Short mmCIF file of all heavy atoms in Angstrom, two decimals:
data_model
loop_
_atom_site.label_atom_id
_atom_site.label_comp_id
_atom_site.label_asym_id
_atom_site.label_seq_id
_atom_site.Cartn_x
_atom_site.Cartn_y
_atom_site.Cartn_z
N PHE A 508 97.58 55.37 101.49
CA PHE A 508 96.51 56.37 101.35
C PHE A 508 95.60 56.39 102.58
O PHE A 508 95.46 57.41 103.23
CB PHE A 508 95.70 56.10 100.07
CG PHE A 508 96.56 56.09 98.84
CD1 PHE A 508 96.95 54.89 98.24
CD2 PHE A 508 97.03 57.27 98.31
CE1 PHE A 508 97.78 54.88 97.13
CE2 PHE A 508 97.86 57.28 97.20
CZ PHE A 508 98.24 56.07 96.60
N GLY A 509 94.95 55.24 102.86
CA GLY A 509 94.04 55.20 104.01
C GLY A 509 92.73 54.54 103.62
O GLY A 509 92.69 53.73 102.69
N PRO A 510 91.65 54.88 104.33
CA PRO A 510 90.36 54.26 104.04
C PRO A 510 89.76 54.84 102.76
O PRO A 510 90.02 56.00 102.44
CB PRO A 510 89.51 54.65 105.26
CG PRO A 510 90.14 55.87 105.81
CD PRO A 510 91.60 55.82 105.46
N PHE A 511 89.01 54.01 102.04
CA PHE A 511 88.39 54.53 100.81
C PHE A 511 87.01 53.93 100.62
O PHE A 511 86.68 52.90 101.21
CB PHE A 511 89.28 54.28 99.60
CG PHE A 511 89.52 52.83 99.28
CD1 PHE A 511 88.71 52.14 98.38
CD2 PHE A 511 90.58 52.13 99.88
CE1 PHE A 511 88.94 50.79 98.08
CE2 PHE A 511 90.81 50.79 99.58
CZ PHE A 511 89.99 50.12 98.68
N MET A 512 86.18 54.62 99.81
CA MET A 512 84.85 54.11 99.49
C MET A 512 85.02 52.98 98.48
O MET A 512 85.78 53.13 97.51
CB MET A 512 83.99 55.22 98.86
CG MET A 512 83.80 56.45 99.73
SD MET A 512 82.67 56.13 101.10
CE MET A 512 81.13 56.65 100.36
N ASP A 513 84.30 51.90 98.68
CA ASP A 513 84.48 50.73 97.82
C ASP A 513 84.29 51.06 96.34
O ASP A 513 84.96 50.50 95.48
CB ASP A 513 83.54 49.62 98.26
CG ASP A 513 84.05 48.27 97.77
OD1 ASP A 513 85.28 48.06 97.80
OD2 ASP A 513 83.23 47.44 97.34
N GLU A 514 83.39 52.02 96.05
CA GLU A 514 83.14 52.32 94.63
C GLU A 514 84.32 53.06 93.97
O GLU A 514 84.35 53.22 92.76
CB GLU A 514 81.83 53.11 94.43
CG GLU A 514 81.73 54.41 95.20
CD GLU A 514 80.98 54.25 96.52
OE1 GLU A 514 81.16 53.19 97.19
OE2 GLU A 514 80.24 55.17 96.90
N LEU A 515 85.30 53.51 94.78
CA LEU A 515 86.48 54.16 94.21
C LEU A 515 87.63 53.18 93.98
O LEU A 515 88.74 53.57 93.62
CB LEU A 515 86.96 55.30 95.12
CG LEU A 515 85.98 56.47 95.28
CD1 LEU A 515 86.58 57.54 96.17
CD2 LEU A 515 85.59 57.07 93.94
N ARG A 516 87.35 51.89 94.17
CA ARG A 516 88.36 50.84 94.07
C ARG A 516 89.13 50.86 92.76
O ARG A 516 90.32 50.58 92.71
CB ARG A 516 87.67 49.48 94.25
CG ARG A 516 88.58 48.31 94.43
CD ARG A 516 87.78 47.04 94.70
NE ARG A 516 87.29 46.95 96.07
CZ ARG A 516 88.04 46.58 97.11
NH1 ARG A 516 89.31 46.26 96.92
NH2 ARG A 516 87.54 46.53 98.32
N GLU A 517 88.43 51.23 91.67
CA GLU A 517 89.07 51.18 90.36
C GLU A 517 89.67 52.52 89.94
O GLU A 517 90.29 52.63 88.89
CB GLU A 517 88.06 50.75 89.28
CG GLU A 517 87.41 49.39 89.51
CD GLU A 517 88.43 48.26 89.54
OE1 GLU A 517 89.39 48.32 88.76
OE2 GLU A 517 88.27 47.34 90.37
N THR A 518 89.43 53.58 90.71
CA THR A 518 89.88 54.91 90.26
C THR A 518 91.26 55.24 90.83
O THR A 518 91.73 54.61 91.77
CB THR A 518 88.88 56.01 90.70
OG1 THR A 518 88.86 56.04 92.13
CG2 THR A 518 87.49 55.73 90.18
N PHE A 519 91.89 56.26 90.26
CA PHE A 519 93.20 56.71 90.73
C PHE A 519 93.05 57.44 92.06
O PHE A 519 92.13 58.23 92.21
CB PHE A 519 93.84 57.66 89.70
CG PHE A 519 95.26 58.00 90.04
CD1 PHE A 519 96.29 57.16 89.68
CD2 PHE A 519 95.57 59.16 90.75
CE1 PHE A 519 97.61 57.46 90.02
CE2 PHE A 519 96.88 59.46 91.08
CZ PHE A 519 97.89 58.61 90.71
N PRO A 520 93.89 57.24 93.05
CA PRO A 520 95.10 56.41 93.00
C PRO A 520 94.90 54.97 93.49
O PRO A 520 95.81 54.16 93.34
CB PRO A 520 96.03 57.15 93.96
CG PRO A 520 95.12 57.70 95.01
CD PRO A 520 93.84 58.05 94.29
N ILE A 521 93.72 54.65 94.08
CA ILE A 521 93.56 53.32 94.66
C ILE A 521 93.77 52.22 93.62
O ILE A 521 94.55 51.29 93.81
CB ILE A 521 92.16 53.19 95.32
CG1 ILE A 521 92.00 54.22 96.47
CG2 ILE A 521 91.92 51.77 95.83
CD1 ILE A 521 92.97 54.05 97.61
N GLY A 522 93.10 52.37 92.48
CA GLY A 522 93.15 51.31 91.47
C GLY A 522 94.47 51.21 90.73
O GLY A 522 94.84 50.15 90.25
N GLN A 523 95.21 52.32 90.64
CA GLN A 523 96.44 52.33 89.84
C GLN A 523 97.70 52.35 90.69
O GLN A 523 98.77 52.64 90.20
CB GLN A 523 96.45 53.54 88.89
CG GLN A 523 95.48 53.44 87.72
CD GLN A 523 94.04 53.69 88.16
OE1 GLN A 523 93.78 54.39 89.13
NE2 GLN A 523 93.09 53.08 87.46
N SER A 524 97.55 52.07 92.00
CA SER A 524 98.75 52.07 92.84
C SER A 524 99.22 50.65 93.09
O SER A 524 98.43 49.75 93.37
CB SER A 524 98.49 52.81 94.16
OG SER A 524 97.30 52.35 94.75
#
Side-chain angles (χ1 to χ4, degrees):
F508 303 102
F511 63 93
M512 301 287 267
D513 202 38
E514 56 264 38
L515 296 181
R516 191 176 282 281
E517 301 299 322
T518 63
F519 188 83
I521 299 298
Q523 288 75 28
S524 49

